[in-house]
Amino acid sequence: QVQLVESGGGLVQPGGSLRLSCLASRSIFSIVAMGWYRQAPGKQRELVAGITNGGSARYADSVKGRFTISRDNAKNTVYLQMNSLKPEDTGVYYCNTDPVLADHWGQGTQVTVSS
C-alpha cells in the first residue's frame, strides 16, 4: 500500500523557519493533488496548503504569505517551507491527497513554535 512519511518538524522560536518534507511510496503521486494538513489539540484537522499535479497552489488564510508548498514529482516528494512561524502554527502536520481520497495517514511531524 501507499506509504506517506513526513519529516522536518521540530521546536522553533516565533519568527523562525522550518522546511517539511513528505515522501510518498508510489509513482501515482505524480498525477494527484497533494496537501499539507495541520491538527492542533482540540481542533479539527485542516488543510493549510495544497498543490495540484501541475503546480498550482492554494493556502489557508492563516498561512498565506508565510508558507510555500512545492513538489518534486521525480522524487515523489512534497515540501512545505514555513517562514515567520507563530505559536498558532503549532500542531502535527500531515500530508495526503487534496482532497483526501483514502484514510491513509502517516505519523505526521510535530511542529512547536514557542519561546
Side-chain angles (χ1 to χ4, degrees):
Q1 64 173 316
V2 65
Q3 182 179 357
L4 299 167
V5 180
E6 300 92 346
S7 62
L11 174 65
V12 65
Q13 295 182 347
S17 297
L18 288 171
R19 182 176 171 87
L20 308 183
S21 298
C22 170
L23 176 65
S25 64
R26 302 291 184 91
S27 61
I28 193 68
F29 166 90
S30 66
I31 64 171
V32 299
M34 296 293 295
W36 283 97
Y37 300 79
R38 177 173 66 204
Q39 187 167 29
K43 303 290 186 179
Q44 67 184 87
R45 182 154 45 202
E46 64 172 340
L47 179 74
V48 298
I51 186 168
T52 69
N53 61 313
S56 181
R58 64 174 180 157
Y59 302 93
D61 289 342
S62 62
V63 308
K64 192 172 184 178
R66 300 186 297 117
F67 291 9
T68 303
I69 188 170
S70 61
R71 67 191 296 163
D72 186 336
N73 289 341
K75 297 180 179 179
N76 286 357
T77 302
V78 61
Y79 305 95
L80 186 67
Q81 178 66 47
M82 310 164 68
N83 298 327
S84 302
L85 283 162
K86 304 176 180 179
E88 304 95 282
D89 297 319
T90 294
V92 180
Y93 285 71
Y94 303 87
C95 64
N96 210 329
T97 56
D98 175 22
V100 176
L101 300 176
D103 193 25
H104 296 156
W105 299 94
Q107 293 183 337
T109 186
Q110 176 72 44
V111 172
T112 303
V113 185
S114 179
S115 299

